Amino acid sequence: MLETAFLKKITVDRYQIRWFSPTHEVDFCGHAMLASAFILFKTGINQIIFDVKNLGQFFVTQEVDGKINMNFPSASFEPIETPPEIAQAFKQPFKQVYLSEQAYVVEYLTKEDLQAEQPDFTQLKAFGTKTHRDFVITTAGDADYDCYSRYFAPAIGIQEDPVTGSIHTVLVPFWANKLNKTVIHAYQASKRGGELFCRIIDQKRVEISGYGVLYLEGHLRE
């Protein structure tokens, strides 16, 4: 996770939340929300409402085994003609490019192509700065996972994000429709890697789930 979350308490189980990358404020970061909920759940509450600017309310609960379930609005996407900048930036063969509010979604032919991709980050940064969008590459899964993905956001200071919960509000309905499934087990194939447990709630919302681990704790002094 490369974004930092900032919280403002409204009530005991309701918070405003904002996220910042190394260079920009971002609209939505799923893993920084999961990390925030992980810490808040240690105070004894078992459900949280996050108020998100421009996106409404996100609902988060925790199961007995510690799994954190995040209820998000699903995001739309549409197929587009391949922009020349994407054709130049990505070297491996791909099927189709789609456009969502957050990112260009590039569907790859195979898992091997996705893993082998080494994009031109100079091209992606310039195009991402111009269009105010990031880039996700994705492909159908195998016996282990329903789908794979990688996420690039050099325009906001992140070359490759380890795990990106927010883009799965696009990828879950995308693959649910293609695979005719309502439950999607996803894997983000970054160097660190990340497993996401996802499901369609209804036509407007998806659930994305995972586990948190406490890595570092500290105190700020005035």
Side-chain angles (χ1 to χ4, degrees):
M1 181 186 69
L2 298 173
E3 288 84 7
T4 302
F6 292 85
L7 308 177
K8 179 181 178 181
K9 187 175 182 179
I10 301 173
T11 65
V12 67
D13 60 355
R14 185 175 175 184
Y15 289 79
Q16 290 181 348
I17 187 168
R18 295 171 67 182
W19 303 276
F20 293 83
S21 80
T23 61
H24 290 70
E25 181 173 5
V26 298
D27 293 333
F28 175 19
C29 177
H31 263 66
M33 177 174 285
L34 184 144
S36 301
F38 175 79
I39 296 301
L40 292 174
F41 284 137
K42 290 183 176 296
T43 66
I45 59 177
N46 57 15
Q47 61 180 10
I48 304 165
I49 299 173
F50 286 111
D51 289 344
V52 181
K53 183 174 64 175
N54 300 327
L55 295 176
Q57 292 185 327
F58 294 178
F59 306 95
V60 185
T61 59
Q62 187 174 45
E63 298 182 14
V64 174
D65 70 348
K67 181 190 284 186
I68 295 172
N69 303 317
M70 300 177 290
N71 179 319
F72 297 141
S74 59
S76 61
F77 55 90
E78 60 180 357
I80 61 170
E81 292 188 11
T82 301
E85 294 87 350
I86 287 181
Q88 294 165 9
F90 292 112
K91 308 301 189 298
Q92 300 299 318
F94 54 81
K95 288 183 179 181
Q96 176 70 54
V97 178
Y98 300 81
L99 185 65
S100 77
E101 185 67 26
Q102 179 177 342
Y104 289 93
V105 180
V106 186
E107 183 184 2
Y108 272 50
L109 297 168
T110 69
K111 173 185 171 184
E112 290 73 25
D113 291 336
L114 179 138
Q115 291 175 317
E117 184 62 82
Q118 296 295 326
D120 182 332
F121 286 108
T122 301
Q123 286 267 10
L124 291 186
K125 182 176 181 179
F127 192 46
T129 300
K130 176 183 176 182
T131 60
H132 304 289
R133 284 182 170 88
D134 303 327
F135 308 89
V136 60
I137 61 177
T138 187
T139 192
D142 48 26
D144 296 320
Y145 297 97
D146 294 307
C147 64
Y148 291 89
S149 66
R150 293 173 64 193
Y151 193 87
F152 310 106
I156 59 170
I158 302 169
Q159 285 201 331
E160 180 165 2
D161 197 28
V163 190
T164 315
S166 59
I167 197 58
H168 283 78
T169 62
V170 177
L171 295 180
V172 173
F174 180 86
W175 287 111
N177 181 63
K178 282 182 173 288
L179 301 174
N180 194 27
K181 301 178 71 171
T182 58
V183 176
I184 298 293
H185 191 192
Y187 188 80
Q188 192 155 329
S190 63
K191 182 178 180 180
R192 191 187 79 185
E195 186 176 23
L196 301 97
F197 305 91
C198 314
R199 70 182 181 94
I200 298 291
I201 296 175
D202 55 35
Q203 292 184 340
K204 294 184 178 181
R205 301 191 74 90
V206 299
E207 182 180 83
I208 300 172
S209 304
Y211 294 88
V213 177
L214 183 63
Y215 169 72
L216 183 67
E217 187 172 359
H219 299 276
L220 296 175
R221 296 182 180 179
E222 295 182 359

